[in-house]
Amino acid sequence: MGIILWQRGVGLLRNSRMFLLMLLLPLLFTFAFSNMGTASKISIPLHDEEGSPLSQKAVSYLNRSSSYQFVPVSLEKLKVEVAEGRAEAGIIIPKGFSEGMASGKVEIQMVKGKDSTIIPSLQGMIQLSLIKMHTEQTGVKAILHSLTQLGLDVNQPQVTPRVEELLAERWKETLPVATAGKTAEGSKAFRYDPKLQSSLGFMLFFVIYSIIFSLSEMLNDRRQGIWDRLLISPLRKGEIYLGNFLYSFMVGYGQLLILLGASRLLFGVNWGEGWGPILFLLAIYTVTIAAFGMLLSGFVKNTQQLNAVVPIFAVSFAMLGGAFWPLEVVTSPWLITVAKGIPLYYPMSAIKEILLHQQGWNVVWLPTVVLLLMAALFMGIGVHLFERKGGEYR
């Protein structure tokens, strides 16, 4: 068995282009698709006519929005950008803003060239931001007044910023309204992490190629007569199969480990602190895919046929198993049922449960049992078919 592993390893070093390609492609696809999942802010030109400290603070409040980015520009540039359609709308903070904030009657001017779907959302966001700012400023004034009544000196330059900071923290802790929701189907909310979805999905998808193509050496050995010479060697038949299977496992699992580290370093994918359940699941998945590769090797006659059928199964596994998109968005019960017959489904769903819902070993055991049963079935049928087809070459 050791000699087989040595020979396969030497062959991999001599022709490592495919392995390197299967390392590069998941990283490229992760980079492209994880960025697609992150929405960018809409840029809104803003002109501050007053230019006071309070109006500048209002701009900072507006820029806390997760949907809009307010960019200070001149009045002429604001009008040009809106008129030419480069901006959906423009915002003008007029003179007298500070007096209006003190009286509670603030007017913000909006310049728009045409009706846009974002206008109601933008107006609502501006109104809420200014209400929050006015509430916090009123609270700061009340606190400073109380401190003055207690005989404390509030004219120190660090006092007001510190009061504002403490009030903002307190505001976050005790929001007047809190909401919570759950889906009708269950108590667990759907959580989506585009980097995790892309990195894990493409990792599990591309490793299928590496694992199964590494088993194609058995087909070449059979075609060239090397397999027959191995059978009459001191090696037992079980050692020959086990050596090829272990080589395939080492190639696939090694690729997964490299991609785990690379995705964390390059894209900041958070794989959690306890790697044990994840590494264990990936190992079981690698065994199952290697067994499936043995099954395909038993059905085909040569590497050309194997090269033709592997992409069909790999893409089907990825689409149905949730590698390309989260299965939570799939509404068809029939498709969900089909997905449970796909090996890729189990590590994909279990690892997301571990990372997104803070689960542990409790979500590992059922996928492990299912994957090992699949592996035993694939391996048994695959070896039987490979043996039967091997007789045709003798």
Side-chain angles (χ1 to χ4, degrees), residues 36-66:
M36 286 176 60
T38 305
S40 58
K41 292 184 178 183
I42 299 174
S43 180
I44 303 294
L46 179 145
H47 177 66
D48 183 3
E49 286 187 344
E50 184 172 273
S52 65
L54 196 59
S55 65
Q56 293 174 7
K57 183 173 291 187
V59 175
S60 69
Y61 269 80
L62 293 175
N63 275 323
R64 293 178 185 179
S65 168
S66 60

Side-chain angles (χ1 to χ4, degrees), residues 80-144:
V80 170
E81 288 190 5
V82 174
E84 294 181 353
R86 286 182 286 165
E88 300 276 354
I91 302 300
I92 299 175
I93 299 179
K95 294 180 179 179
F97 173 82
S98 299
E99 290 78 3
M101 181 64 71
S103 63
K105 296 180 180 180
V106 179
E107 290 187 3
I108 295 290
Q109 300 174 8
M110 178 178 292
V111 180
K112 56 182 182 178
K114 57 181 180 179
D115 290 334
S116 172
T117 56
I118 74 163
I119 298 300
S121 170
L122 180 61
Q123 290 175 332
M125 189 280 301
I126 293 174
Q127 184 178 11
L128 288 175
S129 297
L130 294 180
I131 289 175
K132 182 178 179 181
M133 177 181 171
H134 180 265
T135 302
E136 289 187 6
Q137 292 300 310
T138 303
V140 169
K141 289 180 180 178
I143 293 172
L144 293 177

Side-chain angles (χ1 to χ4, degrees), residues 163-340:
V163 171
E164 292 177 346
E165 180 183 347
L166 292 174
L167 189 61
E169 292 177 0
R170 185 62 179 168
W171 175 278
K172 293 178 182 178
E173 294 174 0
T174 58
L175 291 175
V177 178
T179 61
K182 62 179 181 179
T183 60
E185 291 78 8
S187 59
K188 233 176 234 183
F190 167 46
R191 296 181 181 178
Y192 177 65
D193 184 339
K195 287 185 179 180
L196 175 62
Q197 173 69 35
S198 300
S199 179
L200 180 60
F202 288 116
M203 180 191 309
L204 297 177
F205 168 57
F206 281 103
V207 80
I208 296 175
Y209 292 92
S210 299
I211 294 172
I212 298 180
F213 286 153
S214 66
L215 288 171
S216 65
E217 295 297 326
M218 296 174 62
L219 296 172
N220 290 329
D221 289 348
R222 187 176 65 184
R223 180 178 57 84
Q224 297 170 1
I226 299 175
W227 187 262
D228 289 334
R229 293 197 291 272
L230 288 173
L231 292 177
I232 62 175
S233 71
L235 291 173
R236 291 191 295 270
K237 185 183 293 186
E239 292 179 329
I240 300 173
Y241 279 110
L242 184 59
N244 284 282
F245 189 84
L246 282 177
Y247 166 70
S248 177
F249 173 84
M250 291 168 65
V251 169
Y253 198 58
Q255 177 177 325
L256 290 174
L257 293 179
I258 293 172
L259 290 174
L260 277 175
S263 61
R264 183 160 190 164
L265 291 174
L266 297 177
F267 309 119
V269 179
N270 182 16
W271 296 106
E273 299 300 328
W275 286 50
I278 296 176
L279 296 179
F280 180 79
L281 270 172
L282 293 178
I284 300 299
Y285 172 73
T286 306
V287 169
T288 307
I289 296 300
F292 182 74
M294 190 67 230
L295 176 65
L296 291 183
S297 299
F299 273 108
V300 301
K301 293 183 178 180
N302 49 53
T303 55
Q304 288 75 21
Q305 292 182 358
L306 185 67
N307 293 341
V309 299
V310 168
I312 298 174
F313 284 99
V315 174
S316 300
F317 283 3
M319 294 177 67
L320 295 172
F324 290 166
W325 48 75
L327 288 180
E328 288 83 356
V329 303
V330 178
T331 57
S332 170
W334 180 79
L335 286 177
I336 297 297
T337 302
V338 172
K340 294 179 180 179

Side-chain angles (χ1 to χ4, degrees), residues 14-87:
R14 290 177 178 174
N15 188 18
S16 58
R17 286 178 296 178
M18 176 61 71
F19 181 76
L20 295 176
L21 183 63
M22 292 300 109
L23 284 176
L24 180 62
L25 287 177
L27 298 175
L28 291 177
F29 277 89
T30 298
F31 174 76
F33 282 83
S34 62
N35 286 339
M36 286 176 60
T38 305
S40 58
K41 292 184 178 183
I42 299 174
S43 180
I44 303 294
L46 179 145
H47 177 66
D48 183 3
E49 286 187 344
E50 184 172 273
S52 65
L54 196 59
S55 65
Q56 293 174 7
K57 183 173 291 187
V59 175
S60 69
Y61 269 80
L62 293 175
N63 275 323
R64 293 178 185 179
S65 168
S66 60
S67 302
Y68 302 99
Q69 177 68 39
F70 294 86
V71 182
V73 296
S74 65
L75 183 60
E76 293 75 16
K77 186 175 181 180
L78 183 148
K79 292 180 179 179
V80 170
E81 288 190 5
V82 174
E84 294 181 353
R86 286 182 286 165

